[in-house]
Amino acid sequence: MAVKIGIASNHWIHPSDRFDTNYIDYIQIDYVDGIRESGGVPFILPLGQPDEAETYIESVDALLLTGGQGVTPILYGAEPIKEVEETDIYRDEFEIALVKAAVKAGKPVLGICRGLQIVNVALGGTLYQDIYTQIGATGKHNQHPTSWEIPTQHVTATAGSWLQAKFGDRFLVNSFHHQAIDQLGADLTTTAVSDDKVIEAFESADGQVFGVQFHPEMMFKTHPEFREVFQHLVDLV
């Protein structure tokens, strides 16, 4: 039987020259390809209301949350600082509801970059709004203009974690973020850190919820080992 993976969409909410205010829900194709190439069937979940989350989760076997805007600070009890950049509380609240519904239903959850951050907030954790001003991060956590598929920084995996089992003790990843995990949410433990001690991955005690701060969807076509991140989600079903 096919494994159905729900991928929560982003939505375009700014007028554009070509489409004006004809807004769209969308997802980058690499997330879809990563699920397909791992044996799953991707289902794109359009952005909805929080009270619709349980219905969406009933229709899929697992949940994937993707990259995008920063997470709204007030949702984890903080006032925004000037470095926070764009946020989207409508997306935040819907995805938090999706995470809670998936956990309640016992269905696997993978968060990638922003997705990792929203999972953490959904489970009661907090974030750094800007790792450079708030904790003095010294690494280059946004590699632009270096091409996105090139791994540029090392992370160290936690002994006994699924990441260590798949990738070894220390491996290279790409990086595109300035927010990051501060306090971990309930039942989450760190599974990888960067050399400047930024949390790069986590998983729950039962292994059903996991996340990575880097972007495997950008790398797996040129570095096939990163398909294992999507494969791990499919295999948990």
Side-chain angles (χ1 to χ4, degrees), residues 69-89 92 96 114 118 121 125-130 134 178-179:
Q69 306 91 338
V71 179
T72 305
I74 61 170
L75 295 176
Y76 51 91
E79 287 294 318
I81 62 175
K82 63 182 180 180
E83 290 84 4
V84 74
E85 298 182 1
E86 183 180 41
T87 60
D88 183 352
I89 197 168
D92 294 339
I96 286 171
R114 168 202 153 84
I118 204 74
V121 172
T126 63
L127 304 176
Y128 293 116
Q129 298 177 47
D130 183 77
Q134 291 185 299
H178 74 109
Q179 292 193 337

Side-chain angles (χ1 to χ4, degrees), residues 3 21 31 36 44 53 61 70 75 83 92 94 97-99 116 135-136 143 151-152 158 166 168 181 188 191 212:
V3 175
T21 57
Y31 293 107
R36 266 205 192 101
I44 310 303
D61 300 310
L75 295 176
E83 290 84 4
D92 294 339
F94 179 57
L98 287 174
V99 173
L116 165 140
I135 58 172
Q143 67 189 57
T152 60
T158 302
K166 296 291 187 182
I181 291 172
L188 299 177
T191 54
V212 295

Side-chain angles (χ1 to χ4, degrees), residues 127-149:
L127 304 176
Y128 293 116
Q129 298 177 47
D130 183 77
I131 55 176
Y132 299 105
T133 58
Q134 291 185 299
I135 58 172
T138 57
K140 184 173 171 58
H141 291 275
N142 188 332
Q143 67 189 57
H144 180 79
T146 300
S147 186
W148 57 78
E149 82 282 2

Side-chain angles (χ1 to χ4, degrees), residues 27-207:
I27 199 69
Q28 288 95 333
I29 193 67
D30 288 339
Y31 293 107
V32 172
D33 290 344
I35 294 300
R36 266 205 192 101
E37 293 192 20
S38 302
V41 178
F43 282 71
I44 310 303
L45 308 181
L47 191 144
Q49 298 300 315
D51 61 6
E52 298 172 323
E54 287 193 7
T55 302
Y56 279 113
I57 293 300
E58 286 171 1
S59 68
V60 297
D61 300 310
L63 175 66
L64 169 59
L65 298 170
T66 68
Q69 306 91 338
V71 179
T72 305
I74 61 170
L75 295 176
Y76 51 91
E79 287 294 318
I81 62 175
K82 63 182 180 180
E83 290 84 4
V84 74
E85 298 182 1
E86 183 180 41
T87 60
D88 183 352
I89 197 168
Y90 306 113
R91 184 183 181 193
D92 294 339
E93 291 177 332
F94 179 57
E95 292 188 349
I96 286 171
L98 287 174
V99 173
K100 291 180 176 179
V103 170
K104 180 180 177 182
K107 296 184 177 182
V109 178
L110 165 60
I112 292 176
C113 195
R114 168 202 153 84
L116 165 140
Q117 296 166 13
I118 204 74
V119 170
N120 191 56
V121 172
L123 298 180
T126 63
L127 304 176
Y128 293 116
Q129 298 177 47
D130 183 77
I131 55 176
Y132 299 105
T133 58
Q134 291 185 299
I135 58 172
T138 57
K140 184 173 171 58
H141 291 275
N142 188 332
Q143 67 189 57
H144 180 79
T146 300
S147 186
W148 57 78
E149 82 282 2
I150 300 173
T152 60
Q153 70 165 357
H154 281 98
V155 299
T156 300
T158 302
S161 65
W162 78 271
L163 270 179
Q164 186 203 36
K166 296 291 187 182
F167 296 97
D169 294 336
R170 186 166 165 84
F171 56 97
L172 279 165
V173 300
N174 59 3
S175 192
F176 299 91
H177 70 105
H178 74 109
Q179 292 193 337
I181 291 172
D182 178 8
Q183 297 297 315
L184 283 164
D187 204 37
L188 299 177
T189 58
T190 300
T191 54
V193 295
S194 61
D195 286 357
D196 57 350
K197 306 307 178 186
V198 173
I199 294 175
E200 292 284 341
F202 62 52
E203 64 181 325
S204 60
D206 64 4

